[in-house]
Each structure stands twice: as structure tokens, then as C-alpha cells.
Amino acid sequence: MKITIAPYDPNWSVLFSDLKKEIGEILKELDPVIEHVGSTSVPKLAAKPIIDIAVGLSKKNDLDRTIEPMMDNHFIYYEIFNEGMPNRRLFVKLKNGHHLRFPKKFSEGDDIPHDELNLVRIAHVHIWEFGTSEWTRHIAFREYLKTHEEVKKQYANLKKELSKINWEHGMAYNDGKNDFIKREEAKAVAWYNSKQGRT
């Protein structure tokens, strides 16, 4: 599969605002912090046109309390990734009506139709405990890209080059970005913590 990398679109922030309201209402009993992360959150950065959303909860024990409400509101639950990332719950939002074509969740052993889903996904929702290292690195990387123009340019160029390859699935594309992201995220977290007065 080919990965579509689109020029920055100001409507991505509008879509995020709509999704933030929707998720905030679904999870209102948990009082979530909801942030726009990933490349679509960085002005003028080319990106896959899929909104990445970080949801922070005050208690790790509340992670599983999000599952039923999110699935009941047509977010597909990727339980399959819980083993590799036990402190995250991942959901995918599809374009209106398309959730009816797919299971409500994907579990271990399920065959995920990546190509079909890639055509109709509009958002990934990552739910963590607020303030953990996973939460912080996503916020830090966003802020770092906003303020480090050369790194943003390098990242955009890398994604454009990777988009020319015919990948087996989206996870393979992500692996192609991994070395760059790990290197720059480490710098971003150190920079961000310094800005926050942390050591």
C-alpha cells in the first residue's frame, strides 16, 4: 500500500476541535485532557490526513473504563496492541457510516483489513494516563517541531520519500520513520522538560 502524504490543511485543526468535543462528551465522567498531537497538529507540516489525538486520564485504572463508551459511539477498539503497549488504549474513528463495515474491535489473531481501513480512517485516539512518559513525549515532539524549522523540514522530506514506497501496511511505514523519530523525540523531551523547569 502507498501512504498518502498531504500538504498541511488548516481544516485538520477544525476536525480536531469537533472530535475533541465528541470524545469529551463520551468520556466526560473521566474528565479527560484532550490534545491534538502528531503531524496534523503542526502548522505547515505535510502529513497523512489522519488526526492523532492524545487523551489523558488522571488514573491508569480508568483506561479500561473508556472501552465500552468509545465502542458504543462507533470508535473501533484496537485491543490487539494492548500487549505491546499495556498502558495505552487505541481507538480509530472512521468516516461517517463506515464503522458498520468493520468489527467493533480487533483482538489478537484477527486479520485487520489495513488497505480498506486506510481509505476511511479520519482519526487515531491514544488514551494514556496524563503526565506519563508516553504522554509527555507526544506533547514534547509536537512543540519541538513547531519551534525547530529545520527538524520539521527534515521530517517532511523523510515522509515524502517514504510515501514513494509500496508498503505491506501502515505499520511498516511507521517503522521506516522510527530511527528519525526516536532520535528527535529524545532531543524534544530533553528540550521540553528544560522549558518546563524539569531535569
Side-chain angles (χ1 to χ4, degrees), residues 49-66:
I50 299 168
I51 308 301
D52 277 297
I53 298 173
V55 177
L57 305 180
S58 59
K59 294 185 292 186
K60 178 181 173 181
N61 289 344
D62 284 339
L63 287 174
D64 285 339
R65 292 179 62 191
T66 67

Side-chain angles (χ1 to χ4, degrees), residues 78-115:
Y78 275 59
E79 183 184 51
I80 193 169
F81 294 131
N82 286 5
E83 184 175 346
M85 295 193 74
N87 297 320
R88 180 192 68 169
R89 298 296 175 268
L90 175 65
F91 300 87
V92 170
K93 176 77 169 179
L94 306 181
K95 295 175 183 176
N96 286 341
H98 286 279
H99 66 279
L100 298 171
R101 297 167 46 203
F102 302 98
K104 292 176 73 172
K105 71 176 177 180
F106 290 111
S107 301
E108 190 66 37
D110 288 345
D111 185 22
I112 301 176
H114 293 288
D115 288 347

Side-chain angles (χ1 to χ4, degrees), residues 121-162:
R121 284 181 300 168
I122 60 172
H124 299 143
V125 182
H126 312 260
I127 304 182
W128 291 284
E129 181 183 357
F130 178 79
T132 58
S133 60
E134 284 297 310
W135 173 273
T136 298
R137 74 179 178 86
H138 283 79
I139 302 300
F141 194 47
R142 177 192 70 191
E143 296 304 304
Y144 191 73
L145 289 173
K146 285 181 178 180
T147 55
H148 291 72
E149 195 65 32
E150 185 57 34
V151 178
K152 180 166 71 174
K153 190 182 300 183
Q154 291 171 12
Y155 191 30
N157 289 338
L158 172 63
K159 289 191 290 182
K160 287 173 186 173
E161 286 302 310
L162 293 175

